Amino acid sequence: MTPASTAEEIVAHLRTLGSQDNRQGMLRYGIRIDRALGVPRGVQRDIARKIKHNHERAFELWETGITEAQFIAALTADPELFTVEDARRWAAEFDSWDIVDGVSDLFVDTDHWRSLIEEFAEDEREFVRRAAFAMMAWSSVHRKREPEETFLTFLPIIERHSTDRRNFVRKAVSWALRSIGKRSSSLRAAALRIAERLAASDHKTARWIGKDAIRDLNSAATQRRLAAKSK
């Protein structure tokens, strides 16, 4: 695999790397395998590093419908050229949490990531909504220069959707809340206030999210990391 490799050559190479054992392993983690070849994620990342960015080819890879090709597409697309409409089209095809989380990392690198979060959070489709909260989680790690005020604006969205019972949404809501709380000591305090309110809720899903976040944000490991960052 080289930067000159075509989408067809990349897909042909992926087909030689997949295995039924890997596909069954994916299934055990709740990953849909009907579009997957069974290529390990680390191998996919290695291919993406070798072929480098090529925006046009990324869209050709996405159009194959093969999960691994789509993940590589997300790693090799140019976020500066990636439009809101592109994001909407790709999100419309989301059908498994793993591709959501992989592509959401690309969405966070675009200029319109915050508006996408707001839009996707209000979308009733399970995996599109998950994308909003996966983007919150990724952005809290990767958007180093983003002011804390941005992440504070996400907290009401988290609270609003904390009663969504769907498994892949509630787990992403918890992930977003915990990730924001781990960004800084002040954001931890704000996230804990939300978490404590959710933990006291009458709603089972909100309580689970709140307790999950409290446990993580109050852990010794989290507090050590935040103390080290503040030095």
Side-chain angles (χ1 to χ4, degrees):
M1 294 287 95
T2 73
S5 297
T6 66
E8 291 78 10
E9 290 168 339
I10 293 163
V11 169
H13 183 57
L14 286 170
R15 291 188 186 281
T16 70
L17 300 172
S19 77
Q20 186 60 27
D21 285 346
N22 286 338
R23 293 179 80 242
Q24 291 305 309
M26 294 164 67
L27 193 61
R28 287 193 291 272
Y29 282 96
I31 299 171
R32 289 189 61 170
I33 61 171
D34 46 324
R35 297 193 297 111
L37 300 174
V39 180
R41 183 56 62 90
V43 173
Q44 296 172 55
R45 290 188 182 278
D46 185 56
I47 291 172
R49 282 193 292 269
K50 289 177 179 176
I51 65 174
K52 303 189 182 301
H53 284 80
N54 182 315
H55 197 63
E56 182 178 348
R57 184 185 59 199
F59 279 79
E60 293 173 4
L61 288 169
W62 183 269
E63 291 300 322
T64 67
I66 297 169
T67 301
E68 290 88 347
Q70 291 187 330
F71 178 67
I72 293 171
L75 294 178
T76 58
D78 186 341
E80 293 185 1
L81 300 177
F82 205 82
T83 70
V84 170
E85 285 303 319
D86 292 334
R88 289 171 180 155
R89 281 198 301 274
W90 285 25
E93 296 186 33
F94 288 162
D95 61 358
S96 187
W97 68 263
D98 62 313
I99 193 64
V100 173
D101 296 358
V103 176
S104 293
D105 207 1
L106 164 66
F107 290 174
V108 164
D109 287 337
T110 68
D111 290 336
H112 28 269
W113 65 285
R114 284 173 292 185
S115 63
L116 287 173
I117 285 175
E118 294 173 2
E119 177 181 332
F120 289 168
E122 302 310 313
D123 196 297
E124 290 297 330
R125 290 171 291 182
E126 180 176 9
F127 292 108
V128 177
R129 182 168 288 173
R130 180 185 174 91
F133 297 101
M135 288 175 69
M136 290 183 192
W138 286 130
S139 64
S140 69
V141 176
H142 298 314
R143 284 275 176 175
K144 304 291 188 184
R145 298 181 180 179
E146 193 67 27
E148 289 194 354
E149 288 75 12
T150 296
F151 299 98
L152 290 173
T153 66
F154 295 156
L155 295 178
I157 303 174
I158 287 171
E159 189 165 16
R160 184 162 65 251
H161 293 291
S162 64
T163 56
D164 192 321
R165 293 181 172 87
R166 292 174 293 183
N167 185 49
F168 295 113
V169 175
R170 70 183 180 95
K171 287 184 175 180
V173 172
S174 173
W175 179 25
L177 183 57
R178 291 181 288 110
S179 297
I180 290 170
K182 292 178 182 179
R183 184 176 171 92
S184 70
S185 294
S186 58
L187 284 172
R188 174 179 173 270
L192 275 172
R193 285 194 292 271
I194 299 293
E196 288 163 359
R197 192 151 60 237
L198 296 180
S201 170
D202 292 333
H203 196 283
K204 181 178 179 181
T205 302
R207 282 200 309 276
W208 179 86
I209 291 169
K211 290 178 180 179
D212 193 43
I214 289 170
R215 182 169 51 252
D216 195 4
L217 296 177
N218 279 338
S219 71
T222 295
Q223 295 189 63
R224 280 196 303 271
R225 282 197 298 272
L226 289 175
K229 286 175 68 175
S230 64
K231 291 181 179 178

